[in-house]
Amino acid sequence: MSEDHDGHHHHPLPEPYPAIRTKALESLLVEKGLVSTDAIDALIKTYEQDVGPLNGARVVARAWTDPAYKQRLLEDGTAAIAELGYGGAQGAQIVALENTPQIHNMVVCTLCSCYPWPVLGLPPSWYKSPAYRARAVSEPRAVLREFGLELDPAVEIRVWDSTAEVRYLVLPEQPAGTVGMSAEELTKLVSRDSMVGV
Amino acid sequence: MSEDHDGHHHHPLPEPYPAIRTKALESLLVEKGLVSTDAIDALIKTYEQDVGPLNGARVVARAWTDPAYKQRLLEDGTAAIAELGYGGAQGAQIVALENTPQIHNMVVCTLCSCYPWPVLGLPPSWYKSPAYRARAVSEPRAVLREFGLELDPAVEIRVWDSTAEVRYLVLPEQPAGTVGMSAEELTKLVSRDSMVGV
Amino acid sequence: MDGVHDLGGMHGFGPIPYEKDEPVFHEPWEARLYALRRALTVPMFATVDEHRYALEQMPPARYLGLSYYERWLAVFQEALVANEVLEADEMRASFEAYEANPDAPVPRRTDPELTARVVAAAFRRPSVHHDDGIARFQVGDRVLARNIHPKGHTRLPRYARGKQGQIANINGICNLPDAIVAHREPEPQAVYSVRFEAVELWGDAAEPNASVYIDLWDSYLDPAVIE
Amino acid sequence: MDGVHDLGGMHGFGPIPYEKDEPVFHEPWEARLYALRRALTVPMFATVDEHRYALEQMPPARYLGLSYYERWLAVFQEALVANEVLEADEMRASFEAYEANPDAPVPRRTDPELTARVVAAAFRRPSVHHDDGIARFQVGDRVLARNIHPKGHTRLPRYARGKQGQIANINGICNLPDAIVAHREPEPQAVYSVRFEAVELWGDAAEPNASVYIDLWDSYLDPAVIE
């Protein structure tokens, strides 16, 4: 909730408004037996604890340490990801995009907020922001610079706009000096952002 | 200031906010001698009383009753309008567009709110509204229908988007049964909207 | 629809609002709203497409002025009434009750069967139809994104319309979202990943050595006129 | 810039908010703000182009959420500070004083010379430069509106870019607004009225028997490739 220099709120909602509204809706829907408290709690736990970028990091670390897996991942991302037990909503078809010294991939959804939930969890706010959705396709290098990545002009940049059912997972380059590390160790080095390509 | 069905204001400003701000600015600028009360009053009076659609109506009525004037108006709108004493800010170049049984003209400014002030005064709110600016160019017939004008499909519609310095004045067709009326009488029949082409 | 949701290439939105170590949900109500919607035994939107279209139809200033979950809340409320799950009056009464007493507890109800079902649904792997037989284009074909301006839902972004690209991949067969949301008969079509050079999309404003891949349904495309 | 101000063809804005017998100003403050800006002895914007660009640069949700004069007020306040006519502190102090006491009078000052000058300015007829000699195109020529996406100010609306039209009139010579706002050397160019068929602009969504005439500077146009 930002305030501009003249002290006027951009944001029209008083802070507690959506919280109160949501409470009121949950209350009515529970009373009518159309939802249950435990189902809500369980789904929240699912996306706060079970379905998140750690899944994607495991996929990436496996690909870094297992060339055959990497090949399967690039050929059929959905199937290779399912090998590790991941899949589900917003992951009907997952395509892995390999970053190389020559090619940098970056993912966006300009029309809404499509994102590969099974491997990355729910999208962060910046991914859903109008700024990212607007700028990623027209000035990806400027956007990457804001994320601290100055891409060499010789590197081709490919931006993937998730306008249909495919969800994209970027397979980042393995950091220098990490060859020989175990998949478990490598998992800790894989950031969520690197799997979006920023 | 509309309120939607869930009782939430679209409009983020408390009602008196801009009025108080304007007062505060006028106060400071008067104190500093950068503006004067009488100059402000005089300019308001100019646009509330002197520069308005009555000017355009006089131009139109003259054109309806004086074929030579009409020809001059269509050949050089600015000069013909100046003959009646009109001209000034936002009227450097005024082009008159003749409506005929075959052609209907309609004016918009999609990028801001350009409008021929010397002949029509300041633009009405609907002309400045996002809805009119958005729709006039892509669905002019649907827009005209909202204004109560069902245009025959055989009539060609020309929409003029005022993106540069030219300001457009529509010369409506003279209503049936008014031939022989004086210019003064006809002036009363010319609506502001008809000179915008809606 | 050519709405403000179609943000690709738009200027004026400022820097990316990056937040380090961002939580999955910023506020408890966001988590509850998210889960409430998905756990509801009577879904408010038959398809994700219809949910998207509901969001797109919000008044533009509102769409841009609200946060992501505030938008979800707005369309969820409307859908609950439109689908006659809640009456406007009872919804208003409940809002007023909690506004008057924001700390009032929410009634609880447990339903282990429902819980198992919604969690399982989160992990259920949808199947994709692969039948490239109906694909009109092959990888490498040059195509032109059509200049369409439907008032209904579409997934062809404005910034690609009228632009030439090249088929990079055939993703599979999916029903056309435009038809789903319009409640027309299903229109299964090949969906392609189409590569557009940045300079084709943005002219002189293009960054060097860049391209955009957009997933587009068959009927969004025409063969390119000039090879 | 490709901002939300560039509204031509956008969907989702609802019906035209027509108001019968609308007054020139709806609120006294609108009238005073309008006149205050124009009567100021130190203009805040050197050109109308710069004023437009200031409006365009407002945050998009704010641009669409505010009324016409509320937008003017916002950019006027910013300009007063940016141009060092008022200090932010004294502006804030004055706001707070009037917020605390909204009925406090505004000091008065008369200046008949200024009054005469500003009223005369409203009626002064600006001259237009007619010199069609530098026009690259002639009436009837087919042209292509260029696919430009400048971050600065431009008057080539998005809905026309990449579209073919025909020169309908040569309006005269004007300085390119893009250059004015960027404070580049003046770039006087021919400005044409260009006719675009509705079907070229909107495809299948076009209404029948319709065209749009757009006033475009010479450098916004290329010769059409296909006659």
Side-chain angles (χ1 to χ4, degrees):
Chain A
M1 242 181 245
S2 68
E3 197 165 290
D4 66 15
H5 82 276
D6 62 18
H8 170 59
H9 285 278
H10 286 172
H11 200 304
L13 301 181
E15 181 56 25
Y17 169 92
I20 288 171
R21 292 270 155 141
T22 301
K23 245 184 171 180
L25 295 178
E26 180 179 339
S27 174
L28 284 173
L29 295 166
V30 163
E31 272 168 14
K32 287 181 191 287
L34 296 173
V35 77
S36 72
T37 314
D38 53 346
I40 294 173
D41 293 342
L43 257 183
I44 293 172
K45 183 183 156 295
T46 297
Y47 284 96
E48 282 191 331
Q49 297 177 20
D50 305 331
V51 179
L54 186 58
N55 295 1
R58 291 200 182 105
V59 170
V60 168
R62 171 76 181 271
W64 283 347
T65 53
D66 179 345
Y69 180 79
K70 178 176 162 183
Q71 195 177 332
R72 293 200 299 282
L73 179 68
L74 295 175
E75 277 169 8
D76 184 345
T78 323
I81 286 164
E83 285 181 39
L84 301 201
Y86 310 132
Q90 289 292 310
Q93 191 178 359
I94 303 178
V95 168
L97 305 165
E98 184 183 18
N99 280 357
T100 70
Q102 288 80 39
I103 295 171
H104 183 92
N105 296 284
M106 178 174 161
V107 182
V108 66
C109 172
T110 62
L111 295 175
C112 48
S113 308
C114 297
Y115 194 74
W117 292 3
V119 277
L120 296 185
L122 300 182
S125 288
W126 61 260
Y127 184 85
K128 300 180 286 190
S129 70
Y132 186 73
R133 290 166 54 191
R135 296 174 57 202
V137 288
S138 58
E139 47 175 10
R141 286 172 199 274
V143 168
L144 288 177
R145 221 170 283 131
E146 281 183 30
F147 280 92
L149 179 59
E150 180 72 45
L151 210 64
D152 190 295
V155 176
E156 178 189 341
I157 181 155
R158 297 181 178 177
V159 182
W160 301 75
D161 190 355
S162 315
T163 43
E165 298 314 314
V166 173
R167 297 293 168 266
Y168 294 99
L169 175 73
V170 174
L171 174 58
E173 286 184 84
Q174 183 166 355
T178 64
V179 175
M181 283 172 67
S182 72
E184 199 179 349
E185 288 172 302
L186 287 168
T187 297
K188 294 174 198 149
L189 302 180
V190 184
S191 75
R192 190 242 351 249
D193 296 353
S194 73
M195 294 182 281
V196 185
V198 298
Chain B
M1 243 182 242
S2 67
E3 197 165 288
D4 66 17
H5 80 276
D6 62 17
H8 171 60
H9 284 278
H10 287 173
H11 200 302
L13 301 180
E15 180 55 25
Y17 169 92
I20 288 171
R21 291 270 154 140
T22 302
K23 247 185 170 179
L25 295 177
E26 180 178 339
S27 174
L28 284 173
L29 295 166
V30 163
E31 272 168 14
K32 287 181 190 287
L34 297 172
V35 76
S36 73
T37 314
D38 53 345
I40 294 173
D41 293 341
L43 258 183
I44 294 173
K45 183 182 156 295
T46 297
Y47 285 96
E48 283 191 331
Q49 297 177 20
D50 305 332
V51 179
L54 184 58
N55 296 0
R58 290 199 182 106
V59 170
V60 168
R62 172 76 181 271
W64 284 346
T65 52
D66 179 346
Y69 180 79
K70 177 176 164 185
Q71 194 177 334
R72 294 199 299 281
L73 179 68
L74 295 175
E75 277 170 8
D76 184 344
T78 324
I81 286 164
E83 284 181 41
L84 302 200
Y86 310 132
Q90 289 293 311
Q93 192 178 359
I94 302 179
V95 168
L97 305 166
E98 185 185 17
N99 280 356
T100 69
Q102 289 79 40
I103 296 170
H104 183 93
N105 295 284
M106 179 175 161
V107 182
V108 66
C109 173
T110 61
L111 296 174
C112 48
S113 309
C114 297
Y115 194 73
W117 293 2
V119 278
L120 296 186
L122 300 182
S125 289
W126 62 260
Y127 184 86
K128 300 179 286 190
S129 70
Y132 185 73
R133 289 166 54 190
R135 297 175 56 204
V137 288
S138 59
E139 46 175 11
R141 286 171 199 273
V143 168
L144 289 177
R145 220 170 284 131
E146 281 182 30
F147 280 93
L149 180 59
E150 180 72 46
L151 211 63
D152 189 297
V155 176
E156 178 188 340
I157 181 157
R158 298 181 177 177
V159 182
W160 300 76
D161 190 354
S162 316
T163 44
E165 299 313 315
V166 173
R167 297 293 168 266
Y168 293 99
L169 176 72
V170 173
L171 175 58
E173 287 183 85
Q174 183 167 355
T178 64
V179 175
M181 283 171 69
S182 71
E184 199 179 348
E185 286 171 303
L186 287 168
T187 297
K188 293 176 199 148
L189 302 181
V190 183
S191 74
R192 190 241 353 250
D193 296 352
S194 74
M195 294 182 282
V196 185
V198 300
Chain C
M1 62 183 286
D2 291 3
V4 292
H5 72 281
D6 187 354
L7 282 162
M10 294 298 286
H11 296 148
F13 289 95
I16 313 296
Y18 188 74
E19 185 184 341
K20 213 172 148 53
D21 299 324
E22 184 180 336
V24 174
F25 299 104
H26 285 74
E27 303 286 343
W29 73 264
E30 296 181 344
R32 297 213 74 76
L33 174 70
Y34 174 81
L36 174 60
R37 272 191 72 255
R38 289 191 64 188
L40 207 61
T41 55
V42 283
M44 288 303 97
F45 298 96
T47 59
V48 65
D49 310 274
E50 279 154 287
H51 185 231
R52 286 180 189 139
Y53 189 50
L55 292 164
E56 293 166 8
Q57 287 176 290
M58 294 180 71
R62 204 153 183 238
Y63 182 96
L64 293 175
L66 297 186
S67 75
Y68 180 76
Y69 285 115
E70 285 169 351
R71 290 199 287 268
W72 279 43
L73 175 60
V75 301
F76 185 48
Q77 285 176 208
E78 284 184 27
L80 286 166
V81 175
N83 291 334
E84 298 179 352
V85 170
L86 297 181
E87 283 174 25
D89 282 351
E90 65 181 331
M91 199 156 85
R92 196 174 309 115
S94 183
F95 290 159
E96 284 167 8
Y98 279 99
E99 269 161 21
N101 190 3
D103 297 324
V106 173
R108 298 185 62 83
R109 179 177 164 264
T110 58
D111 184 339
E113 189 276 326
L114 176 65
T115 299
R117 188 146 44 89
V118 300
V119 171
F123 293 100
R124 188 174 308 122
R125 298 180 195 153
S127 64
V128 176
H129 192 56
H130 282 284
D131 170 11
D132 301 346
I134 70 167
R136 232 186 344 150
F137 301 108
Q138 300 308 314
V139 170
D141 283 359
R142 292 202 58 78
V143 291
L144 177 73
R146 296 184 62 214
N147 179 31
I148 62 169
H149 297 272
K151 287 194 181 168
H153 182 66
T154 190
R155 297 291 286 183
L156 172 54
R158 274 180 304 151
Y159 74 90
R161 298 182 196 159
K163 301 296 192 293
Q164 290 200 19
Q166 191 166 24
I167 304 287
N169 190 39
I170 305 177
N171 295 340
I173 307 298
C174 285
N175 286 325
L176 183 72
D178 314 43
I180 292 169
V181 173
H183 300 112
R184 296 201 303 263
E185 285 295 302
E187 298 182 26
Q189 297 182 3
V191 180
Y192 311 91
S193 183
V194 184
R195 176 187 166 110
F196 296 85
E197 299 303 322
V199 72
E200 168 75 5
L201 297 175
W202 315 113
D204 294 346
E207 289 186 348
N209 209 359
S211 58
V212 182
Y213 289 71
I214 314 180
D215 290 335
L216 298 175
W217 272 260
D218 194 278
S219 63
Y220 296 162
L221 302 171
D222 280 330
V225 178
I226 303 159
E227 282 295 307
Chain D
M1 62 183 285
D2 292 2
V4 291
H5 72 282
D6 187 353
L7 282 163
M10 294 298 287
H11 296 149
F13 288 95
I16 314 296
Y18 188 75
E19 185 184 342
K20 212 171 150 51
D21 298 324
E22 184 179 335
V24 174
F25 299 105
H26 285 75
E27 304 285 343
W29 73 264
E30 296 182 344
R32 297 212 74 76
L33 174 70
Y34 174 80
L36 174 60
R37 273 191 71 256
R38 290 190 64 188
L40 208 61
T41 55
V42 284
M44 287 303 96
F45 298 96
T47 59
V48 66
D49 310 275
E50 280 155 285
H51 184 232
R52 287 180 189 138
Y53 189 50
L55 291 164
E56 294 166 8
Q57 287 176 289
M58 295 181 70
R62 204 152 181 241
Y63 182 96
L64 293 177
L66 297 186
S67 75
Y68 180 75
Y69 285 113
E70 284 169 352
R71 291 199 287 268
W72 278 43
L73 174 60
V75 301
F76 185 49
Q77 285 176 207
E78 285 184 26
L80 286 166
V81 174
N83 290 335
E84 298 179 352
V85 170
L86 297 181
E87 284 173 24
D89 282 351
E90 63 181 332
M91 200 157 84
R92 196 174 308 116
S94 183
F95 290 159
E96 285 167 7
Y98 279 99
E99 269 160 22
N101 190 2
D103 297 324
V106 173
R108 299 185 61 83
R109 179 178 164 266
T110 58
D111 185 339
E113 190 276 326
L114 176 63
T115 300
R117 187 147 44 89
V118 300
V119 171
F123 294 99
R124 188 174 308 120
R125 297 179 194 154
S127 63
V128 177
H129 193 56
H130 283 282
D131 169 12
D132 301 345
I134 69 169
R136 230 184 347 147
F137 301 108
Q138 300 309 313
V139 171
D141 283 358
R142 291 202 59 79
V143 292
L144 177 74
R146 296 185 62 213
N147 180 31
I148 61 170
H149 296 272
K151 286 195 182 167
H153 182 65
T154 189
R155 297 291 286 184
L156 172 54
R158 274 181 304 151
Y159 73 90
R161 298 180 195 160
K163 302 296 193 292
Q164 289 199 19
Q166 191 167 23
I167 305 287
N169 191 39
I170 305 177
N171 295 340
I173 307 298
C174 285
N175 286 326
L176 183 72
D178 314 43
I180 293 170
V181 174
H183 300 114
R184 297 202 303 264
E185 285 294 301
E187 299 181 25
Q189 297 182 2
V191 180
Y192 311 91
S193 183
V194 183
R195 175 188 167 111
F196 296 85
E197 300 303 322
V199 72
E200 168 76 5
L201 297 175
W202 315 113
D204 293 345
E207 288 186 348
N209 209 0
S211 58
V212 182
Y213 288 72
I214 314 179
D215 290 334
L216 298 175
W217 272 261
D218 194 277
S219 64
Y220 296 162
L221 302 172
D222 281 330
V225 179
I226 303 159
E227 283 297 306

